[in-house]
Amino acid sequence: NVERDYALVTTTTALDGLLTEIRAAGWMALHVIVDGDTPQRSTLAGLAVSLGPRRARYIPMAPEMSGPQDLLAEPPPYLTATEALERLAPVLRDATIRKVGHDLKVDALVLARHGVGLGGLAFDSMLASYLLDATRPSHAIEDVAIEHLGYRALTREDVCGKGAKSVALGTLAPDAVLTYAGERADLAGQLEVPLEQLIASQQLGPV
């Protein structure tokens, strides 16, 4: 079993601490966790961040309270999307902080729908995988991680179930999503070096 340090960030104090670390590191691997099938129709469930191998933080984001019935409900013990994005936005927009991810275009689309730009896009392991072998049937992070890191990541079906028994990711407790979310940022960060080396050795140019 791989030792890893994955944890939830559920308070503004913890989030501010993470943002200080990101600024000091000058880079971040990230993955936007959505509830839905397409970037245009999905709701933001959270954001995963990794600053080193086998270390990740997941910031779950509660949907905004929308109607009178919500006001009576117990607010979830973590930040709303508005609270979290307000703090994250300056770092996400900052072009001097390198962003690494897997399919950053989708991350950028979802964030843009929430009014946050994503600057400093530096390395996308999905584009790198495509560049190395455009003919492979899947460039999903689970497949790329198996091939290049020998690591079997959780799939969305592992977390949400499949077929008629599947549940929406947004209805799961953040604890249940933590490993899935953390892996997506962590593995994207870990894939950068091996994929860049392969691309350089095959003289395929920058990603």
Side-chain angles (χ1 to χ4, degrees):
N1 232 358
V2 186
E3 283 276 310
R4 59 185 169 204
D5 166 18
Y6 288 1
L8 295 173
V9 170
T10 58
T11 64
T12 50
T13 311
L15 181 52
D16 289 344
L18 177 62
L19 292 169
T20 302
E21 277 189 74
I22 292 168
R23 286 195 179 93
W27 78 284
M28 64 191 287
L30 76 142
H31 188 79
V32 173
I33 302 294
V34 293
D35 195 13
D37 334 324
T38 65
Q40 289 75 16
R41 287 210 308 264
S42 346
T43 50
L44 190 56
L47 182 82
V49 173
S50 174
L51 293 175
R54 293 171 296 286
R55 182 166 180 267
R57 295 292 175 265
Y58 178 48
I59 308 146
M61 297 181 196
E64 305 304 323
M65 298 293 184
S66 57
Q69 73 284 3
D70 283 344
L71 299 175
L72 302 171
E74 196 62 28
Y78 46 98
L79 305 173
T80 65
T82 304
E83 289 170 325
L85 288 174
E86 203 174 294
R87 285 179 139 74
L88 282 158
V91 159
L92 292 172
R93 288 192 184 112
D94 191 334
T96 65
I97 296 172
R98 296 177 73 249
K99 311 301 189 305
V100 173
H102 191 87
D103 204 358
L104 285 168
K105 184 179 163 191
V106 166
D107 292 342
L109 274 173
V110 175
L111 289 168
R113 276 190 40 233
H114 289 81
V116 179
L118 190 56
L121 304 186
F123 184 82
D124 188 324
S125 48
M126 189 168 109
L127 289 183
S129 167
Y130 189 81
L131 197 57
L132 287 162
D133 182 3
T135 61
R136 64 178 294 157
S138 164
H139 298 278
I141 195 161
E142 297 93 339
D143 300 308
V144 182
I146 276 278
E147 182 179 341
H148 296 283
L149 301 172
Y151 182 92
R152 188 172 292 285
L154 288 174
T155 65
R156 200 174 180 100
E157 282 187 348
D158 291 332
V159 180
C160 297
K162 55 178 161 187
K165 290 204 172 82
S166 72
V167 295
L169 189 123
T171 62
L172 295 169
D175 280 344
V177 183
L178 173 60
T179 301
Y180 169 83
E183 280 181 346
R184 268 143 185 74
D186 177 15
L187 295 171
Q190 288 191 50
L191 281 164
E192 181 178 11
V193 170
L195 292 181
E196 280 208 312
Q197 287 171 346
L198 279 170
I199 285 165
S201 70
Q202 295 179 30
Q203 299 180 330
L204 294 168
V207 180

